[in-house]
Amino acid sequence: MDHTRAAPRLARGGKSIYGAPLGILMLEARFPRIPGDMGNAATWPFPVLFRVVRGASPEKVVLQGAKGLLDDFVAAARDLVDLGAEAITTNCGFLSLLQAELAAAVRVPVATSSLLQVPWVQAMLPPGQRVGVITVSRGSLTPAHLAAAGVPQDIPVEGTEGGREFFRVLIRAEKQDMDVALAEQDILDAGRRLVARHPEVGAIVLECTNMPPYAAALHEALGLPVYDIYTLVSWFHGGLRPRRF
């Protein structure tokens, strides 16, 4: 008679929610989050946890430097970790300002901004080419934002604040609905201005987490690689759940 027994299986506890290792800190906004937008759950091919940071409007974060909001973001990040998040990201590239503080506060990997990709992309480009950045607000992207993400201070940057739709809806909250075609045109116009002024640009990083819906159109228009929060989070999640071969 075979008296061998299968080894006991131990299911480890300690979390409230399982199967969604990535937590996303969301700004408090009411504009439409179309497919591809970070705040649209259907954008992601894996489950994510969302937490809205109350009072953190796009205008406060982008135009006012997230002043006075650190404690709120830390508390929300800790809540996500308590729920089960094993890493934290945010839905505004301007939150690079909080990168060090959030990472120290939650003690899990933190990626606050798609701008973190700039040094990686630059390392991949051939000599003579540079990374360019398209941001929702060029005038608000300060040296401090760039330094916090390890981005060179002289990087070519173009913004959308002079456009007809994207900035008005997302940052100024002039209306809740958005003309997607006009928003896309604002991104394309910014991209064309960027490469016209800086022909050495060989790849683009989109600062704004609401820009991924337009990345493919921008790539087709300019013929350049485009990186955004989707590429960053896909890489980020890949380390949290490595593919088993």
Side-chain angles (χ1 to χ4, degrees):
M1 181 180 294
D2 186 359
H3 294 285
T4 60
R5 299 175 60 187
R9 295 179 61 193
L10 182 64
R12 298 191 179 277
K15 300 179 182 180
S16 298
I17 298 174
Y18 290 78
L22 185 72
I24 301 177
L25 295 172
M26 298 288 298
L27 304 192
E28 187 171 25
R30 295 292 180 180
F31 55 78
R33 297 192 177 276
I34 63 176
D37 188 290
M38 192 178 195
N40 186 320
T43 293
W44 305 109
F46 41 76
V48 298
L49 299 173
F50 289 108
R51 177 57 58 93
V52 175
V53 181
R54 299 298 178 187
S57 69
E59 186 168 10
K60 286 183 180 179
V61 171
V62 174
L63 303 185
Q64 300 174 27
K67 185 177 180 180
L69 293 173
L70 175 59
D71 290 345
D72 298 307
F73 276 97
V74 167
R78 285 173 172 166
D79 284 345
L80 283 171
V81 172
D82 184 61
L83 284 175
E86 299 167 23
I88 299 294
T89 186
T90 84
N91 92 306
C92 183
F94 280 78
L95 289 170
S96 63
L97 285 177
L98 306 187
Q99 174 68 36
E101 290 88 345
L102 282 177
V106 297
R107 300 187 182 279
V108 299
V110 174
T112 53
S113 174
S114 63
L115 294 175
L116 293 168
Q117 296 170 106
V118 168
W120 317 341
V121 178
Q122 184 61 58
M124 294 185 290
L125 293 179
Q129 291 189 1
R130 303 181 65 193
V131 179
V133 167
I134 296 178
T135 174
V136 69
S137 178
R138 181 184 182 186
S140 303
L141 194 63
T142 69
H145 290 96
L146 300 177
V151 177
Q153 296 294 315
D154 63 345
I155 190 169
V157 178
E158 190 56 65
T160 66
E161 56 264 60
R164 294 177 291 172
E165 188 78 357
F166 194 76
F167 182 86
R168 292 176 56 237
V169 174
L170 271 66
I171 305 302
R172 291 299 187 187
E174 294 180 9
K175 55 181 181 175
Q176 288 192 0
D177 298 334
M178 182 175 67
D179 185 317
V180 176
L182 285 180
E184 179 177 288
Q185 193 60 53
D186 287 343
I187 308 302
L188 295 179
D189 289 345
R192 292 184 176 112
R193 289 194 303 270
L194 179 67
V195 297
R197 293 171 179 170
H198 300 278
E200 75 277 16
V201 167
I204 291 175
V205 171
L206 304 178
E207 166 275 317
C208 181
T209 65
N210 311 108
M211 290 182 179
Y214 318 106
L218 186 66
H219 168 70
E220 291 171 2
L222 302 182
L224 298 175
V226 178
Y227 300 88
D228 54 26
I229 194 64
Y230 186 84
T231 60
L232 174 66
V233 169
S234 297
W235 171 88
F236 201 27
H237 184 270
L240 301 176
R241 292 293 182 270
R243 180 179 173 184
R244 188 178 296 278
F245 294 94

